[in-house]
Amino acid sequence: MPLCRNIASSPPPLIAPTTPDEAGIARAAKALKAGQLVAFPTETVYGLGGDATSDTAVAAIFKAKGRPRFNPLIVHVADKEAAEALVNFDECARKLAEAFWPGALTLVLPRRNDCPVSLLASAGLHSLALRVPAHGVALDLLAEFARPVAAPSANPSGTISPTTASHVAASLGDAVALILDGGPCAIGLESTVIGLTGDAPLLLRPGGVTAEKVEAVTGPLDRPETGSDAAPSSPGRLLQHYAPGRPLRLDAEDITPGEALLSFGSHAITGAAAECNLSPGGDLTEAAANLFAMLRELDHPAHTAIAVMAVPETGLGLAINDRLRRATNPAATPQEPPP
Ligand code: TXA
Ligand code: MG
């Protein structure tokens, strides 16, 4: 059974993606060395990469995304040793890195005094967000480039993160030297961000590694109030983060005429103009992998709104519901960055 039906067509992408073979990786590393931007796959979402040690490359990332300068970027490194050259690890950070790297966990740690990463990437904070991605193409690129790569999700600020190369091509194709095509992202949700600059580890953003798994290593995490804006110490919790163009209606149990349906599990709801099912069998891992691509499919002017069925608030459901709640915020329209 197809997961989606009645999907309206979208315009073709702006540039053709690049095969991530040896030649493709070499071209991408060369572009990074020249200060250009490169989109690349990770296991979570596609990243918009630039040389993290270059102020101009990092500034180009903010400009391409239209991202407010107060929202810092995640820097990607090849391994824990490369991370330890940039930030000060404590015991908790060491344990988390050993348990989850490479993987969908980002650690926010105090910058070292000799940290060569552009201060712009930290957006004025004394901390830096770091992650070792678990994706062969990302790791090949980091090995070839041999420097840290700043890479937020490769989408215009305030829109849905990309989980395929063609998502990137459609929205940021004119901002990058090339897009490495690694196929669809296996996890499909951004990394979990843990703040380690205070007294206790803080869940700054739920993501691809479940809070339960992190807590098995750290003990109970501090959690900012759901949906709160804890800026500037946790700017990632800005509410307008993940908006599609159509309004979202959560916990839907029926359909208003003209609405598309984002369903989960088996159900008896009828009358939707189009439908995508996150996981017909009710599996949260499958639902996470499908979430952003399906929101894009249903985010079409042909639909008045997207009705979303309830998803359980456990495991990856925490991150799925976090993204869905942000996508319903009325302030969710893409904002111009401050001058
Ligand atoms: O899965 C991911 O994390 C993807 C892939 C490409 O790695 N990247 C990603 O980056 O989602 P971005 O920039 O879209 O999200 C970074 C998040 C934001 O919520 C940001 O506010 C937070 O991390 N962040 C970055 N540096 C921080 C810092 N120093 N303190 C607190 N939060 C920080
Ligand atoms: Mg993002």
Side-chain angles (χ1 to χ4, degrees), residues 40 42 44-48 65 67 71-74 76 104 106 108-109 121-122 125 127-129 131 133 151-155 161 189-193 204-205 232-237 241-242:
F40 63 96
T42 80
T44 58
V45 299
Y46 275 71
L48 177 66
K65 280 184 64 92
R67 177 164 173 135
N71 193 2
L73 308 179
I74 294 180
H76 298 67
T106 295
V108 176
L109 288 161
S122 291
L125 301 170
S127 54
L128 186 64
R131 144 170 136 82
S153 50
N155 53 295
S161 292
L189 283 177
E190 301 89 343
S191 61
T192 304
V193 182
L204 290 172
R205 178 176 75 181
S233 65
S234 51
R237 301 194 61 81
H241 214 64
Y242 300 94

Side-chain angles (χ1 to χ4, degrees), residues 115-128:
C115 176
V117 169
S118 166
L119 287 164
L120 267 181
S122 291
L125 301 170
H126 297 289
S127 54
L128 186 64

Side-chain angles (χ1 to χ4, degrees), residues 38-57:
V38 162
F40 63 96
T42 80
E43 79 282 29
T44 58
V45 299
Y46 275 71
L48 177 66
D51 180 350
T53 66
S54 157
D55 288 337
T56 48

Side-chain angles (χ1 to χ4, degrees), residues 1-4 263-267 275-284 286-287 290 294 309:
M1 187 188 72
L3 294 183
C4 291
S263 51
F264 177 76
S266 63
H267 67 88
E275 177 180 351
C276 289
N277 195 318
L278 290 167
S279 172
D283 177 67
L284 288 169
E286 183 186 20
N290 285 329
M294 288 185 172
M309 284 177 64

